[in-house]
């Protein structure tokens, strides 16, 4: 009997074999015994552990302050205070394993309820091409390789920076969570849709300007990070739909040829192509801006080991594929080009897929099984064709009628596997970028439970998707006196307040 390789949390929880992994047929996937526990038992365990967390620590007396460190709370006491916050699926009969799954200190608890704490970055310099997709990520997706998970999350955080920049009022300078990257150029997308003049007065809350800031180009500029990754990385980052005109372009679902004079038959969605190729007033098209900046950076760092990464969410995911396709032929001897996309729709037809793949572009699509955006455009989702139709005349007929085909490999996550999100999470949550990153951080393999040592902060998820988070998490977060409607700075102030459990832990450590 085989188990998920390199997954230490599963080594002691082997269950009956299931079907082979759809992402890696050579690996036999097993479900953990932890999944067999009734949900009610798991919830009771989480609530019991969380109640321990909320017990107020006894304030130290003056005499206690003068005693030796042996009188301070022990490490085991701290663990009892914070053991619940991981809130992963646990076996009620294995108390030792439950303790191992819990945070080991109040500092760890603070990290979970403060800004994102990324997983440690391992050295991938010897195998960076593999993680960049040279072999189409064979053997890395199911089970998910820890190094690849870290690279995917890094891309997702760069996209989060694009959203944060766009929605700041007024838009500020791009602030990257990854300080090893430096922004070299801003990118704008322009719509060709013409709205009537009266539209702005009717829906003033929608931006109707034709050109909008949509992302940026950045380059890794930190020598230590370059050594870790084994190359200097150039990244193009694109946000999702945010303006009225971008929404209008999304619904222009007709297929248009990329290059009418060529006979390869490659076609893409009309709205995506419009946003990609339309220039604005005194603003280059997104296509021209990306090509110009990437060529400049390639000339600047000529002779170095380079890679090009394109990443985006939703609309940005679709545009990322168009960017990668064009960059692959804009210059001879181009560095390896890969796309890491989140919640992306289909972009073009089968001829376009063949074109992208023949040019050596690698595409990894992160898809939530319950995200409706990943099933459009098109009326007949090919992903749900019954197995008996695969390869048959029925599949060929559906392809002719539908036209749209996904490109690249797929990493499929499931929001219903999350111990934090409600199983009936609404469509907006299923498409939310932070929800995607939460799911990637916890994904181990198909039919395996959520990763118990996931490190990603829950604050942004609680802030953005509070209505889709299980009530127990909302209640307990409020129990530790965190105002989830506050911003990052306010939350940090709450964490440092004298009445905070975290402040008490700092007092202990200062002794």
């Amino acid at each position: 009997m085989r188990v998920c390789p390199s997954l230490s949390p599963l080594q002691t929880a082997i269950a009956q074999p299931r079907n082979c992994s759809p992402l890696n047929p050579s690996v036999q996937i097993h479900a953990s015994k932890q999944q067999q526990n009734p949900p009610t038992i798991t919830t009771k365990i989480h609530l019991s552990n969380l109640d321990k967390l909320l017990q107020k620590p006894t304030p130290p007396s003056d005499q206690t302050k003068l005693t030796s460190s042996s009188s301070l709370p022990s490490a085991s006491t701290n663990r009892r205070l914070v053991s619940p916050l991981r809130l992963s699926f646990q076996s009620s009969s294995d108390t030792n394993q439950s303790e191992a799954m819990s945070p080991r200190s109040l500092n760890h608890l603070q990290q979970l309820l403060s800004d994102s704490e990324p997983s440690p970055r391992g050295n991938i310099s010897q195998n960076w091409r593999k993680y960049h997709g040279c072999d189409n990520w064979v053997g890395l997706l199911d089970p998910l390789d820890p190094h690849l998970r870290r690279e995917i999350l890094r891309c997702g955080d760069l996209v989060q920076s694009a959203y944060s920049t766009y929605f700041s009022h007024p838009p500020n300078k791009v602030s990257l969570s990854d300080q090893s990257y430096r922004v070299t150029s801003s990118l704008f997308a322009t719509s060709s849709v013409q709205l009537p003049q009266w539209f702005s007065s009717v829906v003033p809350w929608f931006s109707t300007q034709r050109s909008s800031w949509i992302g940026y180009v950045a380059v890794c500029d930190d020598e230590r990070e370059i050594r870790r990754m084994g190359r200097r990385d150039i990244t193009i980052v694109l946000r999702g739909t945010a303006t009225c005109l971008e929404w209008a372009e999304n619904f222009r679902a007709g297929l248009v040829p990329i290059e009418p004079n060529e006979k390869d038959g490659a076609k893409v969605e009309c709205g995506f192509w419009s946003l990609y190729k339309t220039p604005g007033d005194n603003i280059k098209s997104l296509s021209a801006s990306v090509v110009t900046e990437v060529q400049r950076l390639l000339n600047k760092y000529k002779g170095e080991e380079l890679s090009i990464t394109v990443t985006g969410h939703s609309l940005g995911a679709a545009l990322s594929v168009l960017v990668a396709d064009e960059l692959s032929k804009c210059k001879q001897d181009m560095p390896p080009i890969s796309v890491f996309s989140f919640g992306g729709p289909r972009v073009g037809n089968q001829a376009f897929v063949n074109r992208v793949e023949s040019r050596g572009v690698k595409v990894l699509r992160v898809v939530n099984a319950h995200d409706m955006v990943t099933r459009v455009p098109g009326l007949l989702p090919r992903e749900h064709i019954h197995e008996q139709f695969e390869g048959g005349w029925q599949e060929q007929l559906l392809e002719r009628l539908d036209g749209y085909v996904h490109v690249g490999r797929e990493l499929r996550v499931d929001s219903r596997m999350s111990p934090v999100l409600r199983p009936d999470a609404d469509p907006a949550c299923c498409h939310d970028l932070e929800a995607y990153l939460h799911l990637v951080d916890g994904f181990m393999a198909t039919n395996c439970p959520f990763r118990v040592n996931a490190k990603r902060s829950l604050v942004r998820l609680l802030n953005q998707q509070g209505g889709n988070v299980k009530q127990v998490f909302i209640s307990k977060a409020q129990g530790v006196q965190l105002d989830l409607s506050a911003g990052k700075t306010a939350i940090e102030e709450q964490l440092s307040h004298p009445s905070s459990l975290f402040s008490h832990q700092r007092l202990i450590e200062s002794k």
Side-chain angles (χ1 to χ4, degrees):
M1 184 181 298
R2 300 179 63 187
V3 298
C4 302
S6 304
L7 295 175
S8 57
L10 302 182
Q11 292 175 354
T12 59
I14 303 175
Q16 295 300 319
R18 301 222 177 187
N19 295 331
C20 292
S21 161
L23 298 179
N24 187 5
S26 64
V27 176
Q28 190 77 25
I29 299 299
H30 301 264
S32 169
K33 288 183 178 180
Q34 297 170 328
Q35 289 181 299
Q36 299 175 7
N37 290 333
T40 56
I41 296 178
T42 303
T43 302
K44 290 179 180 178
I45 295 172
H46 295 168
L47 288 171
S48 176
N49 288 335
L50 282 170
D51 287 335
K52 296 177 183 178
L53 170 64
L54 299 180
Q55 295 175 1
K56 295 183 178 179
T58 303
S61 63
D62 294 338
Q63 183 178 0
T64 304
K65 295 179 182 179
L66 299 176
T67 58
S68 64
S69 60
S70 61
S71 64
L72 297 174
S74 64
S76 61
T77 301
N78 290 337
R79 281 196 294 270
R80 287 197 300 271
L81 285 171
V82 298
S83 61
L85 197 63
R86 187 64 70 213
L87 294 173
S88 304
F89 294 105
Q90 301 178 14
S91 172
S92 58
S93 62
D94 191 349
T95 57
N96 292 333
Q97 185 179 12
S98 175
E99 180 69 18
M101 291 179 178
S102 302
R104 295 183 180 276
S105 68
L106 287 172
N107 279 341
H108 199 173
L109 174 58
Q110 179 180 3
Q111 292 168 357
L112 286 173
L113 291 178
S114 58
D115 198 20
S116 296
E117 177 68 15
S119 302
R121 297 183 180 183
N123 190 308
I124 60 172
S125 58
Q126 300 299 317
N127 299 305
W128 73 264
R129 292 180 181 272
K130 177 175 70 173
Y131 294 114
H132 204 245
C134 68
D135 296 325
N136 288 312
W137 299 280
V138 173
L140 300 177
L141 299 178
D142 201 353
L144 182 59
D145 183 274
H147 293 299
L148 180 58
R149 176 190 292 112
R150 185 66 190 84
E151 295 304 297
I152 295 173
L153 292 175
R154 177 175 61 83
C155 290
D157 284 330
L158 291 173
V159 181
Q160 284 285 28
S161 296
Y163 276 117
S164 299
T165 300
Y166 178 79
F167 286 112
S168 60
H169 299 289
N172 298 318
K173 179 181 179 181
V174 182
S175 178
L176 301 183
S177 58
D178 190 338
Q179 297 299 315
S180 60
Y181 279 78
R182 173 176 56 86
V183 175
T184 64
S185 178
S186 288
L187 301 174
F188 295 82
T190 301
S191 171
S192 62
V193 174
Q194 298 292 336
L195 293 177
Q197 296 181 353
W198 53 262
F199 191 85
S200 297
S201 60
V202 175
V203 283
W205 56 87
F206 269 123
S207 174
T208 56
Q209 59 184 17
R210 294 182 60 239
S211 298
S212 298
W213 189 93
I214 199 168
Y216 58 90
V217 180
V219 61
C220 184
D221 215 20
D222 182 87
E223 293 300 326
R224 182 176 180 179
E225 182 69 1
I226 292 172
R227 290 194 298 271
R228 185 195 72 84
M229 295 195 301
R231 86 282 189 188
R232 186 187 297 274
D233 184 52
I234 300 170
T235 301
I236 297 94
V237 182
L238 300 168
R239 62 161 174 80
T241 306
T243 73
C244 178
L245 291 180
E246 288 168 0
W247 277 108
E249 294 284 19
N250 288 342
F251 288 101
R252 299 175 67 187
L255 287 167
V256 296
I258 295 179
E259 299 178 15
N261 296 330
E262 291 195 8
K263 298 181 180 180
D264 60 2
K267 297 181 179 181
V268 296
E269 201 237 32
C270 176
F272 301 155
W273 190 246
S274 169
L275 287 169
Y276 184 59
K277 283 293 187 179
T278 303
D281 299 331
N282 302 319
I283 296 178
K284 292 182 179 180
S285 68
L286 175 59
S287 168
S289 298
V290 171
V291 171
T292 300
E293 181 61 15
V294 170
Q295 287 181 334
R296 186 187 72 82
L297 292 173
L298 292 178
N299 292 331
K300 179 177 180 179
Y301 299 109
K302 186 176 182 180
E304 295 188 26
E305 190 83 15
L306 300 173
S307 68
I308 297 176
T309 302
V310 194
T311 184
H313 170 246
S314 191
L315 169 63
L319 296 175
S320 294
V321 179
L322 299 179
V323 168
D325 174 64
E326 183 169 20
L327 288 178
S328 64
K329 288 300 180 181
C330 73
K331 186 177 180 180
Q332 291 184 345
D333 301 325
M334 286 292 292
I337 302 175
S338 294
V339 175
F340 293 85
S341 71
F342 304 88
R346 304 175 196 171
V347 181
N349 61 1
Q350 184 62 55
F352 174 70
V353 172
N354 297 340
R355 168 192 169 109
V356 172
E357 294 178 346
S358 66
R359 293 184 170 189
V361 174
K362 307 300 180 181
V363 180
L364 178 59
R365 297 179 296 105
V366 183
V367 172
N368 182 356
H370 306 285
D371 185 359
M372 297 299 296
V373 174
T374 63
R375 306 175 190 179
V376 297
L379 300 177
L380 301 172
R382 297 177 70 248
E383 291 85 345
H384 300 288
I385 298 175
H386 195 274
E387 291 182 358
Q388 68 185 28
F389 292 161
E390 292 187 0
W393 65 267
Q394 296 95 334
E395 182 180 15
Q396 297 176 8
L397 176 61
L398 289 176
E399 183 174 316
R400 283 190 177 185
L401 293 174
D402 184 50
Y404 284 94
V405 182
H406 271 306
V407 58
R409 296 294 307 278
E410 178 181 283
L411 172 61
R412 181 170 287 262
V413 295
D414 190 338
S415 53
R416 294 182 181 176
M417 293 295 292
S418 167
V420 178
L421 296 174
R422 293 164 53 99
D424 59 345
D426 61 37
C429 177
C430 292
H431 186 60
D432 181 70
L433 177 58
E434 185 59 33
Y436 262 94
L437 301 183
H438 164 70
L439 296 175
V440 171
D441 194 38
F443 179 80
M444 292 193 296
T446 303
N447 297 327
C448 288
F450 212 73
R451 189 167 68 106
V452 298
N453 58 340
K455 294 179 178 292
R456 190 169 186 85
S457 168
L458 299 178
V459 167
R460 182 178 285 162
L461 187 65
L462 289 168
N463 281 339
Q464 297 180 356
Q465 296 298 332
N468 292 289
V469 173
K470 293 179 180 178
Q471 184 58 43
V472 60
F473 286 85
I474 301 295
S475 301
K476 299 306 180 179
Q478 293 172 346
V480 293
Q481 300 177 350
L482 284 182
D483 179 7
L484 298 180
S485 64
K488 172 186 170 183
T489 303
I491 289 175
E492 290 177 345
E493 291 177 355
Q494 295 173 47
L495 294 174
S496 62
H497 192 272
S499 64
S500 169
L501 291 176
F502 309 130
S503 180
H504 179 69
Q505 173 67 5
R506 292 194 188 99
L507 176 63
I508 293 175
E509 292 176 343
S510 66
K511 303 298 182 181

